[in-house]
Amino acid sequence: MADIASRIAAARHEAERLKQEINSNRDRNSDTTLEEEAKKRLSQYNGPILKPRRVLKGHFGKIYAMHWHGRDKTLISASQDGKLIIWNADTTNKLHAIPLRSSWVMTCAFEPTMGRLVACGGLDNLVSIYNLTNKDQGARAHRELAAHDGYLSCCRFIDEHKIISSSGDSTCILWDVETSTSLQTFDDHSGDVMSVSLYGNTFVSGSCDATAKLWDINSGKCVKTFIGHESDINSVHFFPNGNAFATGSDDASCRLFDIRAYRDLASYGSEKILCGITSISFSRSGRLLFAGYDDYNCWMWDSMRESQVYQLAGHENRVSCLGVSNDGNGLCTGSWDTFLKIWA
C-alpha cells in the first residue's frame, strides 16, 4: 500500500510539473493580448444607447429565468409565482400562461426550431416539457424527465427530439423527449452545474467547482476543462462563431475563453463591482457582452477591448436572467422585482 501511495504522489507531482511547463510555454508564445490588438484595430464602441422600450408585467413572484424563441419575438419566462408565461415581446401580450405543479422553478427553455415545446425545472428535480399546441393540456406536462438527483439549474433544447439539462447533482443529461429516457450522462464536474450553452455537437457547462467544461455530445466525453475563476460559475454563453465562450461568476468577473487557444483571453470586471454575475449573453456580432448582477444592474461590456460601455439601470431588485433575441434587435432582462424589460 505504501508503494502505491508513493507512486500516486509521484504521478501527481509529475502531472503538476507538466501543467506548469505547458502554461509557461503557452505564456512564452503569447506575444500579445486580445485587449492590445483590439485597441490597435477597433475604435471604441459608439453604437446606440439601449433604453427600456417595453415592460412585461404579469408575474407576481421573483422571475428566475427567461429564454427567447429561436425565430421570432416570442419569449418565455419562469417565476416563483408558479407560472410559465409566453410573451410577445413587441406587443407585450401574453400568449400562454402555464400553471406549474411546483412553484420552485429555476430555468426555462424554448425549443428553437418549431417553437411548439417549452421546458422548465427547478427544485422538483424534473425536466417538465409542455406542448403549446395542445389546448386541452392545461397544467399537465407533455413529458416529465426524471433522472437527476438534485435541483434542475438549466435546460436547453437541441431540437424537438432532444434536450440537455444541468443539475445540482453535478451532472448534465442528454434526453430523448419522446421516450422520456436519458441518452447520455455527462459527469466530470465536482460541484453543482449551474448553466449550459449549446453550439453544434458540443456544449459548454459552468459549475460551482469554478470550472467550465467543453463536452462532445456524441461521445459524451469532456473535451476540455477551463480554469481561471475563483468562485462559482453561474452562467455560460457561446460566442456567436462557436470558437469561444464567456462565463459569469460569483467572483464578480466575466471571462472570455478561447477553445482553440485553450485559455482565457479576456476578463471583464471592475474594482467598483463587488457582487456576483447571475447571467450573461453576447450580442449577435459578439462585440458586446451583457451581464446581469446581484446589485440590480446590467452592464454592457466591449468584449474585444475589455472595457465597460455603459450601465443598464432600471430594475429594483436582482437581475436574475437576461438574453439577446435571435435577430439581435432586443435584450430582455428579468428580475426579482417581477418585471421583464425589453431594451433596444
Side-chain angles (χ1 to χ4, degrees):
M1 292 295 292
D3 181 56
I4 292 175
S6 64
R7 287 163 61 188
I8 290 174
R12 284 177 176 165
H13 179 75
E14 178 65 11
E16 190 62 34
R17 185 191 68 78
L18 290 172
K19 190 186 296 183
Q20 291 176 359
E21 185 178 334
I22 290 169
N23 288 335
S24 64
N25 288 335
R26 184 186 294 162
D27 291 339
R28 190 162 51 248
N29 292 327
S30 297
D31 55 351
T32 187
T33 66
L34 176 64
E35 182 182 13
E36 289 172 356
E37 289 301 306
K39 286 181 176 178
K40 292 177 188 175
R41 303 168 186 232
L42 299 174
S43 59
Q44 282 189 318
Y45 175 80
N46 59 357
I49 295 176
L50 299 186
K51 296 180 180 179
R53 308 294 181 178
R54 303 284 189 277
V55 179
L56 308 184
K57 302 178 181 179
H59 282 299
F60 298 98
K62 296 176 179 177
I63 295 172
Y64 267 76
M66 61 76 50
H67 193 226
W68 286 94
H69 185 290
R71 296 185 178 180
D72 59 28
K73 296 179 180 179
T74 309
L75 63 88
I76 183 173
S77 60
S79 165
Q80 288 198 344
D81 61 8
K83 292 284 195 304
L84 278 183
I85 297 181
I86 289 86
W87 309 79
N88 183 311
D90 195 18
T91 65
T92 73
N93 290 337
K94 303 177 190 69
L95 306 179
H96 299 271
I98 303 172
L100 303 175
R101 194 167 65 177
S102 169
S103 63
W104 300 103
V105 61
M106 297 177 68
T107 183
C108 61
F110 232 126
E111 194 280 313
T113 57
M114 303 301 295
R116 293 183 292 207
L117 301 178
V118 295
C120 68
L123 297 187
D124 58 1
N125 300 3
L126 300 173
V127 183
S128 300
I129 297 176
Y130 296 86
N131 190 333
L132 300 180
T133 63
N134 187 352
K135 302 299 183 183
D136 301 324
Q137 180 174 267
R140 191 162 47 86
H142 173 63
R143 294 285 186 273
E144 287 187 341
L145 314 180
H148 282 298
D149 295 324
Y151 62 87
L152 199 78
S153 57
C154 187
C155 60
R156 290 293 180 261
F157 282 96
I158 296 175
D159 53 34
E160 280 197 319
H161 309 291
K162 293 179 182 178
I163 188 172
I164 287 179
S165 61
S166 63
S167 169
D169 64 9
S170 305
T171 70
C172 301
I173 294 179
L174 171 66
W175 301 88
D176 184 298
V177 173
E178 282 305 309
T179 62
S180 302
T181 56
S182 61
L183 302 176
Q184 186 72 254
T185 300
F186 308 88
D187 57 0
D188 204 43
H189 278 293
S190 59
D192 301 13
V193 185
M194 300 305 296
S195 178
V196 294
S197 181
L198 281 60
Y199 191 91
N201 290 320
T202 63
F203 75 94
V204 65
S205 59
S207 167
C208 290
D209 61 13
T211 69
K213 292 181 181 288
L214 180 70
W215 304 85
D216 184 294
I217 294 175
N218 295 329
S219 68
K221 297 187 181 301
C222 174
V223 180
K224 294 177 179 177
T225 300
F226 296 85
I227 60 173
H229 281 294
E230 298 174 358
S231 189
D232 303 0
I233 295 175
N234 296 319
S235 184
V236 293
H237 196 262
F238 261 109
F239 195 77
N241 66 7
N243 290 326
F245 64 90
T247 54
S249 169
D250 274 343
D251 64 11
S253 74
C254 300
R255 288 178 182 265
L256 177 67
F257 291 93
D258 188 280
I259 294 170
R260 298 162 299 179
Y262 201 178
R263 62 175 303 162
D264 60 326
L265 297 183
S267 179
Y268 314 98
S270 168
E271 293 180 355
K272 296 180 181 179
I273 299 177
L274 303 175
C275 60
I277 290 98
T278 61
S279 51
I280 57 172
S281 184
F282 279 108
S283 64
R284 192 177 184 187
S285 68
R287 177 69 188 270
L288 301 175
L289 176 67
F290 299 96
Y293 291 81
D294 285 330
D295 66 354
Y296 311 175
N297 291 312
C298 173
W299 278 97
M300 190 165 84
W301 297 88
D302 187 320
S303 64
M304 301 292 104
R305 295 171 62 97
E306 295 185 47
S307 59
Q308 288 174 301
V309 180
Y310 54 78
Q311 182 183 33
L312 304 178
H315 285 292
E316 297 177 1
N317 208 324
R318 182 190 202 211
V319 177
S320 54
C321 54
L322 58 79
V324 175
S325 61
N326 195 53
D327 61 10
N329 290 330
L331 168 72
C332 178
T333 56
S335 169
W336 282 9
D337 64 9
T338 75
F339 299 128
L340 295 140
K341 295 194 175 187
I342 309 298
W343 307 73

